[in-house]
Amino acid sequence: MKILVTGTPGVGKTTVAKQLAKNLGYQYINVAEFAIERGFTLRFDKTLKTHIVDVEKLKKALGKTLKEMDKVVLDTHLVDAIPSDCVDFVIVLRLHPRELESRLRARNYPKQKVMENVEAEILDYVLVRAVKKLGEDLIYELDTTGKTTANLVNEIMEALKKGKRKCGTIDWINVLEREGLIEKYLVSKNQ
Ligand SMILES: Nc1ncnc2c1ncn2[C@@H]1O[C@H](COP(=O)(O)OP(=O)(O)O)[C@@H](O)[C@H]1O
Ligand SMILES: [Mg+2]
């Protein structure tokens, strides 16, 4: 079984994926580290303070590496770098945009990077990429807001055991509207 843990940066992928790998006795691969170690980066974006990855090269190398492996948990927001025949189960972690904003600020991300990621979370960006590239049938979407790592890992183990799938159940736009926060994130940004 090859498991992908994905979601917008800051949702808790690395925390959950490492614990899940530990519980299952699986290997853990952080795809960003894998890319940097092998030199699959094109340049470093100074404004966004991030490596720009050569997705095609990374995808090829991951395909080769994953062919030789079985029990593995992959951790990345770069869904496009995952060969579609190399994963059996895809967990898309979600987080309330306000909590995501506060986590990314705490990480000292540049303001633009915080807002881009919050917007991506609101607009289901990673989920949409995952559906398109890997298929809805593999996806278990999970709202992590207010849940502990132990709880999340238990829920994932349960979903794995029972072959549960879930997709398209989270609507942050609706939630933000109800909470009176929609203008803060989607309108006032450029005013
Ligand atoms: N379930 C959780 N509840 C509260 N904070 C969490 C939880 N999971 C992760 N965090 C915190 O959120 C931040 C981002 O988590 P991380 O696992 O690095 O996310 P990602 O790998 O998706 O960028 C870290 O400071 C981490 O300690
Ligand atoms: Mg991470």
Side-chain angles (χ1 to χ4, degrees), residues 84 87-91 134-140 164-165:
S84 57
V87 284
D88 309 296
F89 191 55
V90 177
I91 297 141
L134 307 169
E136 197 175 332
D137 295 348
L138 299 186
I139 295 176
Y140 188 75
K164 281 197 220 166
R165 301 290 184 267

Side-chain angles (χ1 to χ4, degrees), residues 8-15 75 103 107 144 147-149 152:
T8 311
V11 292
K13 295 182 296 297
T14 301
T15 312
D75 165 6
R103 281 198 205 166
R107 268 186 178 177
T144 67
K147 295 179 189 162
T148 65
T149 305
L152 293 167

Side-chain angles (χ1 to χ4, degrees), residues 30-49:
N30 184 309
V31 173
E33 282 169 14
F34 180 96
I36 292 165
E37 276 163 21
R38 285 165 180 74
F40 301 144
T41 50
L42 298 168
R43 62 190 172 85
F44 186 76
D45 185 314
K46 283 189 190 141
T47 313
L48 294 176
K49 290 193 188 152

Side-chain angles (χ1 to χ4, degrees), residues 61-130:
L62 266 178
K64 260 192 202 159
T65 301
L66 292 172
K67 273 215 171 76
E68 327 264 294
M69 296 175 90
D70 180 29
K71 298 176 172 184
V72 62
V73 178
L74 293 158
D75 165 6
T76 189
H77 68 280
L78 281 175
V79 170
D80 293 82
I82 305 298
S84 57
D85 56 348
C86 283
V87 284
D88 309 296
F89 191 55
V90 177
I91 297 141
V92 182
L93 299 179
R94 308 300 305 269
L95 180 63
H96 191 299
R98 198 187 38 215
E99 170 66 16
L100 182 65
E101 182 186 9
S102 99
R103 281 198 205 166
L104 294 175
R105 279 180 195 264
R107 268 186 178 177
N108 283 325
Y109 270 22
K111 199 168 177 229
Q112 186 189 344
K113 195 169 171 179
V114 173
M115 290 326 288
E116 277 181 13
N117 282 309
V118 169
E119 206 167 279
E121 178 61 21
I122 294 171
L123 299 175
D124 308 325
Y125 182 76
V126 175
L127 178 72
V128 170
R129 299 305 304 162

Side-chain angles (χ1 to χ4, degrees), residues 101 153 156 181:
E101 182 186 9
V153 170
I156 293 167
L181 288 169

